[in-house]
Amino acid sequence: MKFSLTLKRLPMIAVFSALALFSIESQAQDNATAEMTSQSCPQEFYSLPLFPNPKMCQVFAPELPASLTYHAATDQQSAQNFYIQKLGKAEQIKTLKGRILMQYDSAKKIIILSKDGAGTQVDVLVKS
């Protein structure tokens, strides 16, 4: 008899477990979003300038190899022109799947520009 009661409760247990997991995932996403938007943006990252008025900066690795991502309120071409103006012509520029990849200093400094809504997501990687 106990076995049949447990089988009847399995769907209820599964529903509660799914709701608990959903709640945990939602809370983790909310925390990640709050953390991302609350971090202030630096003026530069390992001597690489950031486009003026950067938003939603997130440092993923502060120590070398270091990486940072942020949102620039401009199109990809203007962001690319900004980096060329500030850093000079990139040693290599590639367009891959709609993203612009710019490499400087023998690929030790990499900038990736991706369309992001009305602006551009800028990913910066500094290897050394």
Side-chain angles (χ1 to χ4, degrees):
M1 191 66 134
K2 287 185 180 182
F3 182 72
S4 64
L5 287 175
T6 305
L7 285 178
K8 289 179 183 178
R9 290 184 180 174
L10 276 178
M12 182 78 80
I13 293 169
V15 168
F16 284 127
S17 297
L19 287 173
L21 286 174
F22 177 76
S23 175
I24 290 169
E25 285 180 14
S26 294
Q27 185 175 8
Q29 287 175 348
D30 290 345
N31 288 344
T33 302
E35 184 178 312
M36 188 183 318
T37 56
S38 66
Q39 190 170 9
S40 63
C41 297
Q43 293 293 316
E44 61 180 40
F45 185 70
Y46 282 91
S47 300
L48 291 173
L50 274 61
F51 195 85
N53 302 313
K55 305 283 186 232
M56 296 176 54
C57 292
Q58 180 66 46
V59 176
F60 288 101
E63 304 298 324
L64 294 174
S67 62
L68 165 111
T69 188
Y70 70 93
H71 183 269
T74 190
D75 59 88
Q76 285 176 289
Q77 191 61 49
S78 296
Q80 180 181 357
N81 291 341
F82 168 81
Y83 279 103
I84 290 171
Q85 181 185 12
K86 294 292 186 181
L87 303 174
K89 185 176 179 187
E91 294 166 1
Q92 188 170 36
I93 298 176
K94 295 181 184 177
T95 301
L96 303 167
K97 297 184 180 182
R99 293 177 175 91
I100 299 170
L101 176 107
M102 305 172 71
Q103 294 183 7
Y104 289 92
D105 194 19
S106 301
K108 292 178 185 169
K109 297 175 181 176
I110 299 171
I111 300 167
I112 301 170
L113 308 171
S114 308
K115 184 166 176 41
D116 184 19
T120 299
Q121 176 179 315
V122 181
D123 299 301
V124 179
L125 172 63
V126 181
K127 294 180 181 178
S128 62

